[in-house]
Amino acid sequence: MIFCVEDDAGIRDLMIYTLNASGFRAVGFENAKEFYTALADTVPELIMLDIMLPSEDGISILKRLKADARTADIPVIMATAKGNEYDKVIGLDLGADDYLAKPFGMMEMASRVRAVLRRSGRAAEKPQLIRVGSLEMDLNEHSVTADGIRVQLTLKEFELLHTFMTNPGRAFTRERLLSSVWSEDFLGETRTVDVHVGTLRQKLGGCGKYIRTVRGVGYKLEV
């Protein structure tokens, strides 16, 4: 079980979707109070901890975790504001195992989680397969097959398809896709999403029809 402590509901939901679709079990909490209530009953394998939280911030929570023998050995990945070197240093000095600078990609997050769990010995490497219809994505090999044929994708095409495949049926706006795949500080336009979706559809062949245009909204993947 992975605990995600993040007060932004949109980011938290996307984190949980991605982790669950990547073979983990994940639940989210908006604040320290909710987190501590769950922690009293369950000791997670790893904690994703945002620093900027209402009431009690992530640094304070981390201190409490490391001071308690029951939770001191739980791996913690901190989420820090981009460019905030101070928070990064403090978190690592207090015992955090890794950090992610916001905004971060969901694929990067899942990769960091797997790496930290391997280092901590809390999880063995195992195949991470996502299947939707005739599409299959192997996260360990970073490969995609469509109708049994291996497809060569760029990194952004892979991350875009991963976002769709871990949220089948969910409609994404172009702005949301830019934020989750390219990051919020990307200077390009939403046309970038349209170009990548068009290329992705072509590369996926018959499976390209799974990526549907939602008029007035954006795109979704549906079989």
Side-chain angles (χ1 to χ4, degrees):
M1 177 68 74
I2 297 174
F3 282 2
C4 300
V5 191
E6 165 62 61
D7 63 322
D8 186 304
I11 296 175
R12 187 174 65 248
D13 288 347
L14 198 53
M15 291 170 68
I16 294 168
Y17 266 121
T18 301
L19 290 169
N20 284 333
S22 298
F24 302 105
R25 294 175 57 216
V27 293
F29 309 98
E30 183 178 6
N31 52 50
K33 183 179 179 180
E34 293 180 358
F35 169 66
Y36 289 136
T37 299
L39 192 62
D41 295 324
T42 304
V43 177
E45 293 176 286
L46 181 143
I47 297 169
M48 297 287 302
L49 183 58
D50 187 24
I51 287 183
M52 299 299 293
L53 294 169
S55 301
E56 184 177 359
D57 64 30
I59 294 295
S60 175
I61 293 173
L62 180 63
K63 289 179 180 178
R64 292 179 61 171
L65 290 171
K66 296 305 177 182
D68 187 335
R70 179 172 174 266
T71 58
D73 293 332
I74 300 174
V76 177
I77 298 178
M78 306 292 290
T80 68
K82 185 175 183 179
N84 196 330
E85 190 74 14
Y86 176 77
D87 284 344
K88 169 188 170 182
V89 171
I90 292 297
L92 293 175
D93 283 348
L94 289 173
D97 295 83
D98 201 352
Y99 78 96
L100 284 165
K102 288 185 171 182
F104 52 81
M106 293 298 111
M107 287 294 292
E108 179 187 7
M109 177 200 66
S111 178
R112 294 285 190 93
V113 166
R114 283 192 290 270
V116 170
L117 287 174
R118 284 198 302 269
R119 292 200 302 267
S120 68
R122 287 175 173 257
E125 186 69 15
K126 58 183 179 180
Q128 302 289 340
L129 298 177
I130 305 172
R131 293 187 181 91
V132 178
S134 298
L135 276 176
E136 182 176 289
M137 176 176 283
D138 188 319
L139 299 178
N140 287 337
E141 294 186 0
H142 207 267
S143 64
V144 172
T145 58
D147 288 323
I149 301 172
R150 188 153 181 160
V151 181
Q152 295 298 323
L153 301 180
T154 66
L155 176 60
K156 291 305 180 186
E157 289 166 354
F158 187 91
E159 292 183 349
L160 183 61
L161 182 60
H162 180 268
T163 299
F164 287 135
M165 290 183 68
T166 52
N167 299 274
R170 178 179 177 182
F172 289 91
T173 64
R174 292 170 176 82
E175 291 76 14
R176 168 59 78 179
L177 291 170
L178 273 177
S179 174
S180 62
V181 176
W182 281 267
S183 83
E184 292 179 359
D185 59 354
F186 179 69
L187 298 178
E189 301 178 352
T190 54
R191 175 65 180 163
T192 299
V193 175
D194 297 329
V195 171
H196 278 74
V197 166
T199 304
L200 193 54
R201 281 170 168 162
Q202 289 183 347
K203 289 186 175 182
L204 295 178
C207 294
K209 65 179 181 294
Y210 294 169
I211 304 176
R212 303 170 185 262
T213 301
V214 182
R215 194 172 299 277
V217 180
Y219 299 99
K220 68 178 179 178
L221 186 142
E222 188 173 70
V223 177

